[in-house]
Amino acid sequence: MRKAIARNLTISKTTIPHWYIRSRINAGPMMSFYKSQKAKVGCSVNDVIVMACAKAIMEFPAMHSRVDGETILEFPGANIGVAVGMDEGLVVPVIMNAERFTLEQMALETKRLAHRLARARSRTWDKAFSHLQPWHVWR
């Protein structure tokens, strides 16, 4: 698994443009929202962040598109990878069309994926690596 992870990360890092942003934010409102929803829907802070990212991605078409030759391809949904550390290495299951999920559905989906990963530890499982998802590369 570690070899596959290393190979995919190397391909991603060397063939896809990367950019980084560092910023300070006031997470107080987000944490207040999380605290108000946690007991109702069983969400985590990560669920709130993934949901917010999905909504932001869909608000800005450039964030869910890519250039293919002379054409700009816009993808219909926000597929977001959630990194999960395991003894065997880092696995990144993808939440497909995350923008369609309510917070309660997001919490259920992340728990479902975590349960699936726990069950799959001892057998082969195809993992979708989010950094290659927009190019429809599955491993």
Side-chain angles (χ1 to χ4, degrees):
M1 181 187 293
R2 289 186 186 268
K3 285 182 182 178
I5 292 167
R7 183 177 54 251
N8 285 317
L9 288 175
T10 299
I11 290 168
S12 173
K13 191 67 175 173
T14 58
T15 62
I16 300 169
H18 285 68
W19 47 272
Y20 304 90
I21 297 174
R22 180 179 279 184
S23 181
R24 291 185 186 270
I25 63 164
N26 175 4
M30 181 200 65
M31 292 305 294
S32 293
F33 174 75
Y34 158 70
K35 289 174 184 174
S36 74
Q37 298 299 307
K38 182 179 179 183
K40 294 177 191 174
V41 299
C43 64
S44 68
V45 171
N46 197 61
D47 296 328
V48 173
I49 292 170
V50 170
M51 192 168 157
C53 288
K55 290 183 184 305
I57 287 168
M58 295 311 294
E59 188 175 336
F60 299 96
M63 297 302 291
H64 58 100
S65 63
R66 72 175 171 100
V67 176
D68 185 15
E70 298 295 318
T71 306
I72 295 177
L73 301 175
E74 188 174 315
F75 294 97
N79 301 334
I80 299 181
V82 179
V84 178
M86 299 179 69
D87 292 341
E88 297 86 0
L90 183 67
V91 180
V92 186
V94 175
I95 299 172
M96 304 298 289
N97 299 305
E99 77 285 355
R100 296 181 183 166
F101 287 65
T102 65
L103 185 56
E104 183 175 14
Q105 291 168 330
M106 184 67 67
L108 290 171
E109 181 65 0
T110 56
K111 286 178 181 119
R112 185 190 71 78
L113 287 172
H115 185 260
R116 183 176 177 184
L117 284 172
R119 280 194 340 248
R121 288 180 72 180
S122 62
R123 47 181 212 263
T124 304
W125 181 57
D126 289 334
K127 289 160 268 314
F129 288 85
S130 65
H131 60 282
L132 296 175
Q133 182 63 33
W135 292 268
H136 300 285
V137 174
W138 297 83
R139 294 277 173 173

